[in-house]
Amino acid sequence: MDRDRIRKSFLAGTSPEAYQYFGAHLTHEYGKDGVRFTVFAPHAKNVSVIGSFNNWQGYPMDRMPQGIFSIFVDHARMGDLYKYRIETQEGRLLDKADPFAFYSEQRPQTASIIWDMEDFPWQDDAWMGQRNKNYNRPLSIYEIHAGSWKFKDPKAEDLARLYNYEELAKQLIPYLKQMGYTHLEFLPLCEHPFDGSWGYQVTGYFSATSRYGDPRKLMQFVNLCHQNGIGVIFDFVPVHFVADGYALAEFDGFPLFEKAGKQERFSEWGTVLFDYTKPFVRSFVLSALDFWCEKFHADGIRYDAVSHLIYENGVHGGKLNRPGIAFLRGANAVIGQRHPEVMKIAEDSSYYLKVTAPVEYEGLGFDYKWNLGWMNDTFAYLSCEIDRRGAEREKITHSMDYFYQDLFLLPLSHDEVVHGKHAIIEKIAGNYEEKFLQLRSLYLFQVAHPGKKLSFMGNELAEFKEWDQAEPLSFSVLEYPAHGAFYKYLACLNHFYSCHPALYCDDYHPGCFQWLSCSSDTVFCFERRAENGQSLLCVVNFGRDPAVSFAVPNSGIYQKIFSTVDSEQCEKKGIRAKKTSEGYRLTIQLRPFESCIFEKKAIKRKGKLS
């Protein structure tokens, strides 16, 4: 390791590997095994390292140029606790967790832990060699909060009820395969003190939370996912960090990672905003992104609250956050070069253009952007009284008006089932039975619509209650027929998606989608095509019309191959398209809210298929 090069690039704002230099590293120096501690605290008068290896009394660290302090401790070992005791210019003493710590004490304790991140025996070469950004592959993401998917023992208290990474792997990986998901996305696993923040108020950007085990256990979890054909995406928080005094806030007695002005320092969530005008802040966050790709073999990173890095205060149309934009472009370019197969995903609620355009074309360099417009419009439509939906038709069709401006991913995420927004099934108008029928059509619409897919844990259960991180999912609802049937339906739909290239190949090619005119104002018909020649006709029904007629691209017989009512059965007989003055049309019978997918049957003629 070229320590001098990393130090210089860290200070210049260009380092993706500052974690190789700063923090606590097991090493061999002066003929002895020990730990090298290095910390950046340019405003400090003095810094000492305190820990379980010196009875928390402190060893003064050597002052190096440019605000760096370092010391080698020959009797410190892996697993020892430590902090930095910072003496400010005013003489105050601050005991701080290491910003570059690889492991941390379980809450409510706050010390950092010496840990070795090297030499994990990865066995995922086959996966790593074939993975890519999935533009022409199925991408169906199961978003999860690790602490509330299931409880090991609901009667146990606090951390004892949580599954660890090893226990999660045994249950979650078979579940993902059974349900047909291709990827798992964790809500932030960076260390955080408050369970109710769901991981979005971070204290340790290089420290996988100790709630579920040590970093090597998380590595093994990812390793097993890859061996089973499941990709892993990590949610990441680049905008703000927790204000707790033992962490990054006023780290060396001065606003180091944040702005000096108090009015500019705090976010709407009560957290502290990173100051991206500072080069070392850019290096710090860039290095954290690289760390999760390098050390945990991340297949994707989802950047939270990107609109706040595009606009000041995250308000679309307001003042551009130029340092934030510069950081995104720089970081995405570097991560793209160092980890070209890793997906960079933006959770962006603004209408800023070129989020997924390459940096060299003045884009932000993301690979995907959450389509929150599609989500909001779809729920606005489904919340309308069923008999009045005809006037709201544009809410469903509008998503394709702008779809090709960016590379969109369609989310039904955790944000939609909390804070009084209601569970997804509760957002839908209608009686109990009608809600379940429409819920099936909603998910078929998500699968059939261009763009990759994401659904939050518990959505597959069709729960009527909002998600609560303090409680496990209510898998017991599957004992009720409507919930159990929907659960099986969604698994069937996910597997159907992965088996039909027209639903995932060429998602972002304008020539592979077209709306088809339809006789009903509550039925939406469109064609999905793949360049391999497969064509599917998708009929999404959010109404009660018993029969509809819609245009088809060619003559022939069309077979229903998937239905929201009979998802496990295909019709053997097809329906012949009829020629009209305006082309060919198909007339079909539909049950209320039944949505379906058709494929043109191959007709055998004189020994040939046509």
Side-chain angles (χ1 to χ4, degrees):
M1 177 182 65
D2 186 344
R3 292 176 58 86
D4 188 58
R5 175 185 59 80
I6 296 176
R7 177 181 58 81
K8 290 179 179 178
S9 61
F10 171 78
L11 295 169
T14 59
S15 176
E17 49 187 353
Y19 56 88
Q20 300 281 16
Y21 178 82
F22 293 99
H25 292 270
L26 297 165
T27 186
H28 186 84
E29 297 184 21
Y30 311 112
K32 297 180 180 180
D33 292 328
V35 177
R36 167 64 64 176
F37 297 91
T38 306
V39 66
F40 181 62
H43 305 101
K45 183 177 181 180
N46 292 296
V47 180
S48 299
V49 62
I50 60 175
S52 57
F53 49 82
N54 63 11
N55 201 29
W56 302 95
Q57 295 305 304
Y59 295 147
M61 300 176 73
D62 298 326
R63 182 188 296 273
M64 302 171 66
Q66 298 171 303
I68 296 171
F69 294 81
S70 189
I71 190 174
F72 175 74
V73 179
D74 61 10
H75 53 280
R77 295 290 183 264
M78 180 170 163
D80 286 345
L81 308 180
Y82 73 101
K83 282 189 176 183
Y84 297 118
R85 177 160 291 165
I86 294 174
E87 182 184 359
T88 70
Q89 294 296 331
E90 300 82 20
R92 291 184 296 136
L93 295 180
L94 309 174
D95 289 350
K96 292 283 190 172
D98 186 352
F100 287 89
F102 297 145
Y103 191 30
S104 305
E105 275 191 293
Q106 289 186 348
R107 56 152 184 79
Q109 306 305 315
T110 59
S112 301
I113 301 176
I114 299 169
W115 202 259
D116 184 9
M117 296 296 292
E118 306 303 321
D119 302 324
F120 178 80
W122 289 98
Q123 296 173 310
D124 63 347
D125 289 350
W127 171 271
M128 297 292 282
Q130 62 80 43
R131 68 176 184 169
N132 60 30
K133 296 180 187 294
N134 301 288
Y135 292 138
N136 286 302
R137 292 181 180 178
L139 179 56
S140 181
I141 302 167
Y142 188 67
E143 185 189 37
I144 182 174
H145 176 256
S148 60
W149 182 62
K150 289 183 178 181
F151 283 172
K152 182 163 50 179
D153 181 359
K155 296 180 181 179
E157 294 185 1
D158 201 27
L159 295 173
R161 65 189 182 181
L162 303 180
Y163 282 104
N164 61 35
Y165 293 120
E166 185 177 10
E167 293 163 337
L168 268 177
K170 290 179 181 178
Q171 293 211 31
L172 190 53
I173 292 173
Y175 185 83
L176 294 169
K177 296 172 74 173
Q178 171 195 336
M179 292 302 296
Y181 293 104
T182 66
H183 287 68
L184 173 71
E185 179 176 318
F186 279 111
L187 267 62
L189 289 182
C190 290
E191 194 58 82
H192 54 284
F194 176 49
D195 292 355
S197 77
W198 315 330
Y200 289 99
Q201 296 187 6
V202 178
T203 54
Y205 276 84
F206 299 84
S207 179
T209 178
S210 56
R211 286 169 174 79
Y212 317 118
D214 65 54
R216 291 178 73 86
K217 295 291 178 60
L218 178 55
M219 292 176 184
Q220 179 62 3
F221 178 95
V222 177
N223 194 40
L224 290 171
C225 282
H226 287 174
Q227 291 174 5
N228 283 274
I230 302 293
V232 180
I233 299 167
F234 294 107
D235 204 339
F236 185 82
V237 187
V239 174
H240 57 110
F241 52 88
V242 75
D244 293 46
Y246 70 90
L248 295 179
E250 296 188 351
F251 181 77
D252 56 2
F254 186 85
L256 182 62
F257 293 93
E258 65 271 38
K259 291 183 178 179
K262 287 190 176 181
Q263 290 185 342
E264 302 172 309
R265 191 183 305 174
F266 296 101
S267 75
E268 61 196 80
W269 306 286
T271 50
V272 183
L273 297 166
F274 279 113
D275 182 359
Y276 281 105
T277 66
K278 298 175 179 177
F280 58 84
V281 170
R282 299 195 293 272
S283 288
F284 178 82
V285 181
L286 170 58
S287 293
L289 289 165
D290 186 85
F291 176 82
W292 286 87
C293 297
E294 184 69 29
K295 298 301 182 182
F296 292 108
H297 286 199
D299 300 295
I301 302 289
R302 180 262 199 189
Y303 295 45
D304 179 61
V306 167
S307 62
H308 284 71
L309 293 176
I310 298 175
Y311 295 99
E312 293 186 2
N313 302 316
V315 179
H316 178 80
K319 186 177 180 181
L320 286 174
N321 181 352
R322 298 195 181 279
I325 291 172
F327 165 75
L328 288 174
R329 287 174 173 162
N332 285 339
V334 171
I335 297 299
Q337 292 167 359
R338 290 172 61 87
H339 307 282
E341 69 289 343
V342 172
M343 297 176 287
K344 304 179 296 295
I345 303 169
E347 187 264 320
D348 172 29
S349 58
S350 77
Y351 303 108
Y352 187 83
L353 296 179
K354 293 189 174 183
V355 171
T356 59
V359 173
E360 55 265 34
Y361 295 109
E362 299 183 350
L364 298 186
F366 285 99
D367 301 303
Y368 293 103
K369 173 181 174 174
W370 278 23
N371 193 340
L372 298 173
W374 170 85
M375 178 273 301
N376 286 320
D377 286 344
T378 301
F379 285 142
Y381 177 87
L382 291 175
S383 68
C384 293
E385 292 183 25
I386 296 164
D387 293 336
R388 297 184 179 181
R389 286 178 179 170
E392 304 294 333
R393 184 175 180 84
E394 187 178 326
K395 283 185 167 61
I396 295 295
T397 60
H398 177 56
S399 60
M400 292 307 301
D401 293 343
Y402 60 83
F403 182 78
Y404 302 107
Q405 293 178 0
D406 270 302
L407 303 178
F408 283 111
L409 182 154
L410 310 182
L412 296 174
S413 75
H414 68 279
D415 277 332
E416 310 319 315
V417 294
V418 291
H419 300 324
K421 296 179 183 177
H422 302 295
I424 287 179
I425 195 169
E426 279 281 51
K427 299 175 191 287
I428 301 172
N431 60 35
Y432 181 84
E433 181 181 356
E434 290 173 334
K435 285 177 181 289
F436 276 96
L437 293 171
Q438 293 175 83
L439 190 65
R440 291 180 175 224
S441 287
L442 165 62
Y443 272 91
L444 185 138
F445 181 47
Q446 183 194 33
V447 162
H449 191 291
K452 306 307 180 183
K453 328 298 175 186
L454 177 143
S455 187
F456 185 55
M457 67 177 200
N459 290 350
E460 70 274 22
L461 308 179
E463 289 193 82
F464 279 85
K465 69 180 184 69
E466 291 187 348
W467 169 55
D468 180 356
Q469 58 83 27
E471 300 290 337
L473 297 183
S474 299
F475 283 94
S476 60
V477 301
L478 297 180
E479 297 174 6
Y480 296 92
H483 294 270
F486 177 77
Y487 175 81
K488 293 178 181 177
Y489 161 79
L490 194 56
C492 187
L493 178 62
N494 286 340
H495 287 289
F496 179 87
Y497 163 68
S498 292
C499 292
H500 289 80
L503 296 178
Y504 60 78
C505 281
D506 310 306
D507 265 319
Y508 307 102
H509 190 304
C512 294
F513 172 93
Q514 67 168 335
W515 290 110
L516 304 173
S517 65
C518 181
S519 61
S520 170
D521 58 9
T522 56
V523 177
F524 303 84
C525 303
F526 51 90
E527 181 188 16
R528 291 295 308 274
R529 292 188 295 272
E531 288 191 345
N532 69 355
Q534 186 186 53
S535 170
L536 298 179
L537 305 183
C538 306
V539 179
V540 178
N541 177 16
F542 291 131
R544 302 189 182 98
D545 288 350
V548 295
S549 170
F550 61 95
V552 295
N554 305 106
S555 63
I557 296 175
Y558 290 84
Q559 181 182 9
K560 185 191 297 185
I561 61 172
F562 191 90
S563 167
T564 56
V565 176
D566 300 311
S567 59
E568 296 180 357
Q569 297 181 5
C570 294
E571 292 185 355
K572 294 182 179 179
K573 294 183 179 180
I575 304 172
R576 184 176 293 278
K578 293 183 179 180
K579 188 174 184 179
T580 70
S581 59
E582 297 178 348
Y584 292 95
R585 296 187 72 83
L586 206 63
T587 299
I588 62 173
Q589 299 297 315
L590 289 173
R591 283 160 284 191
F593 310 109
E594 178 189 9
S595 298
C596 45
I597 296 178
F598 289 84
E599 185 174 32
K600 185 180 177 183
K601 290 184 67 174
I603 302 174
K604 190 172 183 179
R605 294 176 178 171
K606 296 182 180 180
K608 296 182 179 180
L609 292 177
S610 63

